[in-house]
Structure formats: C-alpha cells, structure tokens
Amino acid sequence: MLRSELRLTTGLFVAQAAVSNHTGLIARTGLTMPAAPFGSAAWQVPALVAYLHRLHRDEEDPSPELWRAHTERQTGGPVPRPHRRYQDNGLHDPDAVCVLDIQLGPRDEETGWPAADLAVIEQEEGACPFGRVTRRHGAEAIAAYAAEELTAEHARLMDRARRHQDATFVCLADLAQRAADWADKVRAAAHADAVHVQAEKARARITR
C-alpha cells in the first residue's frame, strides 16, 4: 500500500490543550478522532470558539475538565467532535494530519474573555513533516479564523455539489455558512468588548 493511501486510512485529528490557572500551574489534555471527513480546522475550531464563548457567558475560567466535557459532549448533529483520550504529542505523531495546539488561561478581568492562543498544524499530502502552521491570538482572532475557514469550506462544498449533483454537499455547505455567520457574531462580540474597555480607559485618562 502506498504511504499516501495508508495516511488516508490512519490519519488523525488531534486537539491538545494546555490550560494554565492564576498561579501559573499548567494542566494538559488531548482528544482525538479520525481526520476524515470532519477532522479539519473548518469543522473543529468552532468548538473552541463555542467553548470560549461559553466561558465568557458563564464567567468561568478554563480548565481541562471543562474543555474535555465540552468537546466530548456530542451535539447530535452531522459533525462529530474528538472524544477519544489522547496521551501522545500530536506534533510528533506521524498519523496526526491536523493538530489544534491550544493554550488557555484565566479570563481577562476587563473584557471577561479567557486568554487563548491557537496553532493549527496541518500536514500536507505527501509532505513531511507538517506543511502549514497557522497561529491566532485571542478569542476575537480565533473566532475570525473560524469564520474564514467555514466560509472557505462552504465554497468548496458548493463546488463539489455542482460537480457531483449531490444534495448532501448542499446541506453541509448550508451548515458551514450558518456556523460561519455564528462565529462572526462571536468575533463581533469580542471586538465590541475590547473596544468598550479601550474607550473606558481613554475616558479615565481624560478625567484624571
């Protein structure tokens, strides 16, 4: 069997998170699932966006337990989430074709959004080692990235729908577009909170 064929059958998507608390202690957790067909940034980064949004709404700091509970809870929709515990390091796993390397920290006291850094490492077909790394810092940037990836996924699925005359692709494309619209709303909310904080700081300087 060719190596490319082997990778198609064994490719993994990995979401690994390092969560730090107010004391600086770091806990790590990892989850995995098959990379095909939904183990990609477009379909899985929105789960991280939803997690950050939930923490902001509930005024909670991130924790490995909350992250696993959020990710392992299957939505009942067509897009599964990673749920198998993963003890290795996806950065050094030849079977991991897409890795979300997530750094989470306590909520910012002013904006209420958790600290978050994301690196998406994607292994290109036939390339060794990983072929592309995308980094985003902060909830706003991560939500914007999710919206961009989902919009691109929508375009890809619509193109496949036209070529194959398959309504399944149309349904998935519609789901991708709705998810993109939602991620953009989260981006706008995070942006509005940041602008509000900056405006309050500017007013405070003026009134001193």
Side-chain angles (χ1 to χ4, degrees):
M1 181 180 291
L2 296 175
R3 177 174 174 80
S4 60
E5 293 175 337
L6 180 63
R7 280 183 50 196
L8 286 173
T9 59
T10 62
L12 296 177
F13 167 84
V14 176
Q16 55 189 34
V19 184
S20 60
N21 61 19
H22 288 283
T23 69
L25 291 175
I26 298 176
R28 302 180 187 278
T29 185
L31 296 165
T32 187
M33 64 183 280
F38 293 113
S40 67
W43 291 115
Q44 298 301 327
V45 172
L48 172 60
V49 176
Y51 178 66
L52 297 174
H53 182 259
R54 176 186 169 192
L55 293 174
H56 177 267
R57 181 196 64 201
D58 296 344
E59 299 183 351
E60 290 184 292
D61 286 329
S63 73
E65 294 76 23
L66 285 174
W67 168 246
R68 283 196 299 264
H70 173 80
T71 316
E72 290 173 343
R73 185 180 66 252
Q74 299 303 306
T75 61
V79 180
R81 292 176 177 174
H83 60 277
R84 296 204 313 265
R85 301 294 175 93
Y86 182 80
Q87 303 296 329
D88 297 328
N89 186 334
L91 303 180
H92 305 295
D93 187 341
D95 291 330
V97 297
C98 182
V99 178
L100 302 191
D101 191 53
I102 303 161
Q103 310 286 324
L104 298 171
R107 290 181 308 118
D108 182 273
E109 291 183 358
E110 295 177 314
T111 67
W113 288 91
D117 287 284
L118 171 68
V120 181
I121 303 99
E122 297 167 284
Q123 183 172 329
E124 295 175 355
E125 186 64 30
C128 183
F130 291 105
R132 183 173 69 161
V133 180
T134 304
R135 301 183 187 278
R136 292 294 185 270
H137 172 70
E140 180 183 345
I142 292 172
Y145 172 69
E148 292 166 6
E149 288 292 302
L150 283 162
T151 299
E153 184 70 10
H154 171 267
R156 286 191 291 268
L157 287 166
M158 288 304 295
D159 180 63
R160 292 181 71 181
R162 284 188 291 269
R163 286 188 286 112
H164 297 286
Q165 296 296 304
D166 191 334
T168 302
F169 293 128
V170 176
C171 293
L172 286 174
D174 179 65
L175 177 62
Q177 188 58 60
R178 285 187 281 117
D181 293 341
W182 170 82
D184 191 58
K185 289 180 180 178
V186 176
R187 177 209 59 78
H191 179 74
D193 287 334
V195 169
H196 176 74
V197 167
Q198 291 302 316
E200 288 295 319
K201 287 181 178 179
R203 277 195 290 269
R205 287 194 296 268
I206 292 172
T207 56
R208 281 176 186 170

